[in-house]
Amino acid sequence: MRGFRWPPPPDGGPRTWGPGPGGPRTGRPALPEPETELVTTPHGVRLERLVTGTGDPVTVFAHGLGNGIATTRPFGSAVTGRKVFFQFRGHGRSDSPPGRWTYLDLARDLRAVADLGGATRAFGASLGAGALCRLLVESPERFEKLVFFLPAVLDQPRGEVARARLTDLLDAVESGDASALAEVVSTELPPAVRNTPAGWAYMRQRLDQLLRDGLAPGLASMPEQAPLRDAAVLAQVTAPALVIGCADDDLHPVPVAEELAAALPNATLHVYDRPGVLWSERADLRERISGFLNG
């Protein structure tokens, strides 16, 4: 990564070959990655896990496709009690069992981590939101509170644009080409953020993680699948739920968030009016999630 020239250094910063010691001095330095553990699940798949915080209640956090523990930790920064973060199969150090995977497999991963950690609340982002929905079909009363952040799909497969974007990510990771991968990952950032110290730090972290750990081939079929046959089955879920959507997000269409909120009997829907909410509305998002879960 030291010889990597994309993206360019933030304006005003030293023109270095990468965001190393000679990089911009503004912004907070990246924190070292915490030490995680591998836990064995009842269905035989070892999953990477990180537990932070103390006491009850316990909240489990499920990440999106191509993401992981590092990208879900900010959502729990103000949430009280213990927080259980993990990597789905095919991500990070978690196992990658052979064969085609489904949302049922991901739901089993999520359930196992939740059961092992004694979680009574659940947060799911994108792919994790889909896995959480699939889990709730089998166990509608499993959790006391639920948060769905940028749900991507319910009972219909993802659209063509979303499938193409995710396929490009998987192909770029498999190629091992840092420049090609950066071009794909850069779409996760709002244009105004890409040439800033914060954007540079995010890119470095994401590229290092993806090039180090890769993504399993078993994930390739996920964009073509839907977690539910009919969203109406969620009518059995009575737990309070918070559904968060974001306008103009091609990967996470607002109608999916609206449909999910309508299907859940006790849901509150909030839709942000522009994409890149993690960058533009971080404080509000943090307060909204923690206020709901801590209340």
Side-chain angles (χ1 to χ4, degrees):
M1 290 297 293
R2 293 293 298 153
F4 182 56
R5 298 188 183 202
W6 195 102
D11 289 341
R15 298 293 159 176
T16 63
W17 287 78
R25 301 302 180 186
T26 56
R28 286 183 291 180
L31 295 174
E33 292 186 8
E35 185 174 345
T36 59
E37 60 182 339
L38 286 175
V39 295
T40 301
T41 65
H43 55 291
V45 179
R46 295 183 309 159
L47 300 173
E48 186 176 5
R49 181 181 72 173
L50 172 70
V51 180
T52 66
T54 58
D56 293 323
V58 181
T59 307
V60 63
F61 291 80
H63 63 81
L65 194 153
N67 287 279
I69 292 171
T71 51
T72 47
R73 285 187 70 194
F75 296 111
S77 60
V79 174
T80 56
R82 270 184 300 142
K83 290 158 280 193
V84 181
F85 305 93
F86 75 103
Q87 312 262 57
F88 279 115
R89 63 183 62 202
H91 294 78
R93 296 195 296 137
S94 293
D95 284 349
S96 298
R100 184 176 184 268
W101 303 342
T102 67
Y103 274 99
L104 179 58
D105 294 314
L106 301 184
R108 286 172 178 158
D109 291 350
L110 174 55
R111 178 195 292 276
V113 172
D115 289 350
L116 290 169
T120 58
R121 307 181 299 181
F123 170 99
S126 192
L127 180 80
L132 179 55
C133 286
R134 187 63 184 83
L135 187 160
L136 292 169
V137 171
E138 310 296 333
S139 304
E141 300 179 356
R142 174 61 183 81
F143 298 105
E144 297 173 358
K145 285 190 176 182
L146 304 160
V147 177
F148 300 87
F149 178 69
L150 301 184
V153 61
L154 277 180
D155 51 12
Q156 298 292 326
R158 288 179 183 249
E160 201 60 45
V161 173
R163 278 187 278 179
R165 288 264 298 274
L166 294 171
T167 299
D168 287 346
L169 174 63
L170 291 166
D171 289 346
V173 171
E174 184 179 6
S175 75
D177 184 334
S179 181
L181 180 58
E183 291 289 349
V184 178
V185 172
S186 69
T187 61
E188 299 173 9
L189 296 170
V193 174
R194 293 175 192 171
N195 200 35
T196 66
W200 182 262
Y202 175 85
M203 287 290 298
R204 174 62 185 265
Q205 179 190 56
R206 288 281 285 137
L207 265 64
D208 279 353
Q209 182 263 315
L210 288 169
L211 291 172
R212 180 190 68 221
D213 299 329
L215 290 172
L219 295 168
S221 65
M222 295 308 303
E224 302 171 0
Q225 301 182 44
L228 309 178
R229 291 183 179 178
D230 185 348
V233 299
L234 296 177
Q236 302 176 65
V237 180
T238 58
L242 173 64
V243 181
I244 300 175
C246 190
D248 300 323
D249 186 327
D250 292 336
L251 291 182
H252 312 95
V254 168
V256 174
E258 294 172 338
E259 183 183 0
L260 175 57
L264 294 165
N266 194 10
T268 299
L269 172 66
H270 180 79
V271 177
Y272 288 96
D273 60 5
R274 56 177 173 167
V277 62
L278 279 169
W279 300 91
S280 61
E281 302 288 351
R282 180 177 287 263
D284 182 83
L285 182 62
R286 179 179 182 269
E287 182 178 347
R288 191 173 300 278
I289 292 171
S290 62
F292 174 78
L293 289 174
N294 297 343

